[in-house]
Amino acid sequence: MLRPKEVCQRLGISYRTLQEYVKKGYIKPERLPSGKMRFREEDVERLAGIIRKKKIVLYARVSSNTQKDDLVNQVNYLKEKVPEHDIVITDIGSGLNMKRKGFQRLLKMILNNEVSKIVIAYPDRLVRFGLEIIEYVKHMVVK
């Protein structure tokens, strides 16, 4: 029997999400006399197969509109190197600007645990500073 914390870690979900899964009937907890919940390992494994597949994201960025050709080249290069990708996210803007729409979309996906891997052509394409933070949060591959 697994504790809720162990279930959340195995499934890569938050405790709140686990509560929603219980409420919707996706997984049924066993109640201990103390009222605490425990989950059968087989039920957790079954649920793991239902939870959506995490995505491989290709990310490309250039600094200005005059570099659109380079953006296309980056995307083509990444698609060639990682044909099994799920999503391509692009941005035109400074690597210092954290308000880029594509970058913010990627961050939301990371924080929602929807990303298995981020692939970039060069480390500075994602951010100019703080790459270590994103590497810490999500394993990143630089090709």
Side-chain angles (χ1 to χ4, degrees):
M1 299 296 276
L2 300 172
R3 295 177 180 171
K5 181 178 181 179
E6 295 168 320
V7 173
C8 292
Q9 289 172 340
R10 286 191 183 192
L11 298 177
I13 61 174
S14 69
Y15 183 73
R16 181 74 186 128
T17 300
L18 179 59
Q19 289 175 322
E20 285 296 315
Y21 288 173
V22 169
K23 184 178 175 182
K24 291 178 180 177
Y26 297 161
I27 189 167
K28 184 178 178 184
E30 301 284 331
R31 296 279 179 183
L32 299 178
S34 64
K36 294 182 179 181
M37 293 187 297
R38 295 293 183 263
F39 297 88
R40 293 181 357 169
E41 196 155 353
E42 308 87 63
D43 293 341
V44 174
E45 289 172 4
R46 179 188 50 80
L47 185 58
I50 295 172
I51 294 176
R52 66 181 179 256
K53 176 185 169 258
K54 292 183 182 181
K55 296 170 178 57
I56 297 173
V57 179
L58 306 182
Y59 182 86
R61 179 192 64 80
V62 293
S63 297
S64 68
N65 285 322
T66 60
Q67 298 171 310
K68 282 187 179 179
D69 289 343
D70 185 43
L71 185 62
V72 171
N73 291 339
Q74 279 184 55
V75 170
N76 289 338
Y77 172 77
L78 293 170
K79 284 181 176 180
E80 181 182 307
K81 292 292 183 184
V82 189
E84 71 277 11
H85 71 279
D86 298 296
I87 296 176
V88 176
I89 297 177
T90 61
D91 271 323
I92 297 176
S94 170
L96 297 173
N97 180 0
M98 297 298 158
K99 294 184 180 181
R100 292 172 274 140
K101 287 183 181 182
F103 180 71
Q104 289 184 342
R105 176 181 172 207
L106 178 61
L107 281 179
K108 284 179 188 172
M109 291 175 68
I110 291 169
L111 295 173
N112 286 331
N113 206 24
E114 298 173 16
V115 177
S116 66
K117 190 185 306 181
I118 303 164
V119 185
I120 53 179
Y122 310 101
D124 70 343
R125 295 299 83 194
L126 190 58
V127 289
R128 287 290 183 178
F129 301 103
L131 183 64
E132 297 82 14
I133 295 169
I134 295 172
E135 287 175 327
Y136 179 78
V137 174
K138 226 3 128 190
H139 179 68
M140 182 180 309
V141 175
V142 179
K143 293 260 180 181

